C-alpha cells in the first residue's frame, strides 16, 4: 500500500492537503501540521481530529512557538526527534508540502535518504509565490544557506523560490502554465477545482468553524466581503485605511450587506472601525478565509489587494466576483497587477471605480452558478 505524508503549515496548505488526500482512497495517509505558532488549542489540529470524514490514519502537531535561543534549540531537538521516529516508522513513499523551505520537510527527507529510501517530494500550491516568485539575493540567500547548514546540517538546501529545491519532483498547482520558471521545470499536475466541491470538505469547513465557535452560516447573506490587508502591507499603502472606511460607508448607504475579514496578524479586532462604518459582521481573524468560501452566495463580491486571497477565491469559487484594488503608481502594488490580470481577476486603481465594475460583472457571475 502506498504511504503518503502531508506536511502543511498554513490553513491553505491544510485545505489542499485534505483535498489531495481524498483523491487517493487506497493509500495510507498521514498529516503532520508543522511550524505552528499556536499549539495550545490549535483550531486546525483540533478540527482535523474531529473531522468525521478525515482521510488520515494519523494527525500530529509540530510546534514553533518557543521564545529565546535556548528554548528554540530545545524545541527543535524535540521536533527533530519526533520527525525522525515518525518517518522511520511510516517510511512514506511521498511527502507533500506547501513549502520546501520548511526545515521539517527537508529533515524528514534527509532521514529517509539516510535509510536508503528515495521518497517523492511534492509541492502543493501555496498561492502567491507559485506565480510571483520571491525576491532573491545571491548574497543574502548564500549567507542564509550557510547559517542554516551550520544550525541544521549540511543537508539543508536553500531553494530560489518555494517548490524549486531538488527535493521536489512534482508541483501540484491551480494554474501550472502560469507558474514561475523554476516550477515549470518540474513535473506539473493541475489541481482540479471540482475536487474542492466535495461534500466532505464542506463538512471539514464547518468543523473548523465549530472549533472556533463561529457561526458561518449567516455569511450566505452577504453581498460584499472586504478583505483588510496584512498590517505590514497596509503600512506600505498610504491612505488605504481611510479609503476602505469610506468604501464601506458608501456601500452600506446603497443597502449592501457587508462582511469584513482582517488579516490574522492584525492586533485588534476592528482596528479600522469598520463596524462603525457600516459593516454588519466581522469574520474572525483566526478563521482562514478558505474555510469561509463554501458558504458565500454566488455573486458575492470579494474585494482585496495584495496576497493570496483573490487567487484562492478565483480558483475555488469562480462564481464569486473577485476584484483587486491596486494603485499601479505604487511600485509595491504594481508588481501584483499583471499577475492578477493573467489569472482573470479585474484590477482597479481605487475603490471609487468599483461600482461600475461590479455592475458589469453581475451577469457573468450568475452564469457561472
Amino acid at each position: 500500500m502506498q504511504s503518503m505524508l502531508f506536511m502543511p503549515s498554513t490553513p491553505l496548505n491544510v485545505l489542499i492537503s485534505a483535498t489531495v488526500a481524498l483523491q487517493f482512497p487506497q493509500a495510507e495517509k498521514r498529516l503532520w501540521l508543522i511550524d505552528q505558532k499556536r499549539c495550545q488549542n490549535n483550531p486546525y489540529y483540533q478540527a482535523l481530529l474531529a473531522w468525521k470524514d478525515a482521510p488520515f490514519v494519523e494527525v500530529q502537531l509540530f510546534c514553533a512557538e518557543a521564545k529565546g535561543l535556548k528554548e528554540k534549540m530545545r524545541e527543535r531537538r524535540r521536533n527533530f526527534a519526533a520527525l525522525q521516529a515518525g518517518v522511520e516508522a511510516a517510511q512514506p513513499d511521498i511527502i507533500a508540502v506547501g513549502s520546501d523551505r520548511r526545515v521539517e520537510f527537508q529533515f524528514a527527507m534527509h532521514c529517509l535518504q539516510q535509510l536508503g529510501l528515495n521518497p517523492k517530494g511534492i509541492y502543493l500550491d501555496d498561492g502567491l509565490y507559485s506565480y510571483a516568485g520571491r525576491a532573491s539575493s545571491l548574497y543574502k540567500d548564500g549567507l542564509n544557506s550557510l547559517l542554516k547548514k551550520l544550525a541544521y546540517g549540511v543537508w539543508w538546501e536553500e531553494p530560489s523560490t518555494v517548490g524549486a529545491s531538488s527535493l521536489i519532483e512534482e508541483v501540484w498547482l491551480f494554474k501550472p502554465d502560469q507558474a514561475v520558471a523554476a516550477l515549470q521545470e518540474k513535473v506539473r499536475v493541475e489541481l482540479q477545482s471540482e475536487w474542492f466541491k466535495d461534500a466532505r470538505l464542506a463538512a471539514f469547513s464547518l468543523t473548523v468553524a465549530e472549533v472556533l465557535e463561529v457561526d458561518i452560516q449567516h455569511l450566505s447573506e452577504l453581498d460584499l466581503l472586504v478583505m483588510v490587508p496584512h498590517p505590514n502591507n497596509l503600512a506600505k499603502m498610504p491612505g488605504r485605511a481611510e479609503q476602505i472606511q469610506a468604501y464601506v460607508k458608501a456601500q452600506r448607504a446603497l443597502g449592501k450587506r457587508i462582511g469584513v475579514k482582517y488579516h490574522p496578524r492584525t492586533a485588534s479586532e476592528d482596528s479600522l472601525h469598520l463596524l462603525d462604518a457600516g459593516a454588519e459582521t466581522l469574520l474572525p481573524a483566526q478563521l482562514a478565509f478558505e474555510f469561509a468560501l463554501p458558504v458565500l452566495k454566488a455573486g458575492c463580491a470579494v474585494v482585496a489587494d495584495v496576497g493570496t486571497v483573490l487567487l484562492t477565491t478565483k480558483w475555488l469559487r469562480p462564481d464569486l466576483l473577485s476584484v483587486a484594488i491596486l494603485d499601479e503608481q505604487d511600485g509595491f502594488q504594481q508588481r501584483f497587477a499583471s499577475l492578477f490580470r493573467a489569472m482573470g481577476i479585474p484590477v482597479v486603481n481605487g475603490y471609487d471605480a468599483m461600482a461600475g465594475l461590479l455592475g458589469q460583472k453581475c451577469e457573468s457571475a450568475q452564469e457561472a452558478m
Side-chain angles (χ1 to χ4, degrees):
M1 178 184 294
Q2 188 179 56
S3 176
M4 304 177 71
L5 171 60
F6 294 85
M7 301 183 77
S9 57
T10 68
L12 177 59
N13 291 167
V14 170
L15 178 61
I16 296 177
S17 294
T19 303
V20 172
L22 290 171
Q23 309 311 309
F24 293 88
Q26 303 305 317
E28 183 180 70
K29 300 168 288 288
R30 291 171 172 80
L31 186 145
W32 296 353
L33 194 55
I34 62 172
D35 190 37
Q36 295 302 292
K37 303 299 187 289
R38 175 183 175 183
C39 283
Q40 189 71 23
N41 299 320
N42 184 291
Y44 298 97
Y45 176 65
Q46 292 182 328
L48 284 163
L49 294 178
W51 183 22
K52 294 180 181 178
D53 297 311
F56 306 107
V57 298
E58 175 191 75
V59 177
Q60 286 197 51
L61 179 68
F62 290 85
C63 300
E65 59 182 359
K67 306 293 183 183
L69 180 59
K70 287 185 179 179
E71 286 301 314
K72 286 183 177 181
M73 291 179 66
R74 189 175 292 116
E75 181 182 67
R76 187 176 72 203
R77 286 195 293 269
R78 288 197 303 267
N79 283 341
F80 277 14
L83 287 164
Q84 184 169 2
V87 296
E88 287 181 356
Q91 297 191 7
D93 305 297
I94 293 171
I95 300 184
V97 70
S99 173
D100 53 342
R101 296 174 64 84
R102 292 304 323 150
V103 66
E104 298 91 341
F105 165 73
Q106 292 202 22
F107 181 71
M109 294 290 280
H110 167 69
C111 290
L112 291 170
Q113 290 168 353
Q114 290 292 98
L115 295 175
L117 302 175
N118 186 31
K120 178 191 293 184
I122 294 178
Y123 167 66
L124 299 177
D125 204 333
D126 195 29
L128 196 61
Y129 286 124
S130 302
Y131 308 95
R134 60 177 285 273
S136 60
S137 164
L138 187 61
Y139 171 74
K140 289 183 178 179
D141 288 351
L143 178 60
N144 190 55
S145 179
L146 175 61
L147 293 174
K148 287 188 174 178
K149 285 180 184 293
L150 291 172
Y152 303 140
V154 295
W155 45 265
W156 171 263
E157 182 178 338
E158 187 77 11
S160 59
T161 191
V162 287
S165 74
S166 66
L167 300 173
I168 297 296
E169 182 178 335
E170 295 180 1
V171 293
W172 288 49
L173 306 170
F174 286 102
K175 296 292 182 182
D177 294 340
Q178 297 185 43
V180 294
L183 301 188
Q184 297 282 348
E185 300 172 2
K186 308 288 186 178
V187 175
R188 289 169 290 153
V189 178
E190 184 172 359
L191 293 168
Q192 303 296 319
S193 60
E194 288 297 316
W195 296 348
F196 294 85
K197 297 178 182 178
D198 193 310
R200 292 171 292 182
L201 291 174
F204 182 38
S205 290
L206 291 175
T207 302
V208 172
E210 288 170 2
V211 167
L212 287 168
E213 299 182 341
V214 175
D215 176 14
I216 61 174
Q217 296 294 346
H218 70 285
L219 301 183
S220 62
E221 302 171 357
L222 297 179
D223 303 303
L224 171 66
L225 184 56
V226 177
M227 309 296 295
V228 180
H230 187 294
N232 292 344
N233 291 342
L234 197 61
K236 297 175 184 176
M237 297 182 285
R240 179 53 57 89
E242 292 77 13
Q243 293 170 17
I244 294 174
Q245 292 167 343
Y247 179 64
V248 169
K249 286 181 180 179
Q251 292 302 302
R252 182 59 180 171
L254 294 174
K256 298 289 181 64
R257 306 192 69 172
I258 306 164
V260 172
K261 175 75 167 66
Y262 282 90
H263 192 277
R265 296 292 176 87
T266 304
S268 59
E269 186 179 49
D270 187 16
S271 58
L272 301 189
H273 307 290
L274 297 178
L275 287 175
D276 294 337
E280 69 175 60
T281 186
L282 291 180
L283 279 71
Q286 295 306 315
L287 175 66
F289 177 67
E290 293 81 12
F291 292 94
L293 274 175
V295 184
L296 299 177
K297 68 180 179 182
C300 177
V302 178
V303 179
D305 39 61
V306 300
T308 297
V309 163
L310 291 176
L311 298 178
T312 52
T313 301
K314 184 69 175 180
W315 297 330
L316 303 183
R317 287 292 307 273
D319 57 331
L320 301 181
L321 305 179
S322 308
V323 184
I325 308 291
L326 297 173
D327 179 2
E328 297 188 66
Q329 301 302 312
D330 177 83
F332 172 71
Q333 299 175 62
Q334 184 183 45
R335 56 192 289 254
F336 297 97
S338 58
L339 169 62
F340 287 146
R341 288 195 177 100
M343 293 291 179
I345 298 169
V347 176
V348 297
N349 286 328
Y351 287 90
D352 54 353
M354 285 291 297
L357 179 65
L358 294 184
Q360 296 169 14
K361 294 290 178 179
C362 281
E363 292 185 6
S364 61
Q366 294 300 320
E367 291 171 2
M369 292 175 60

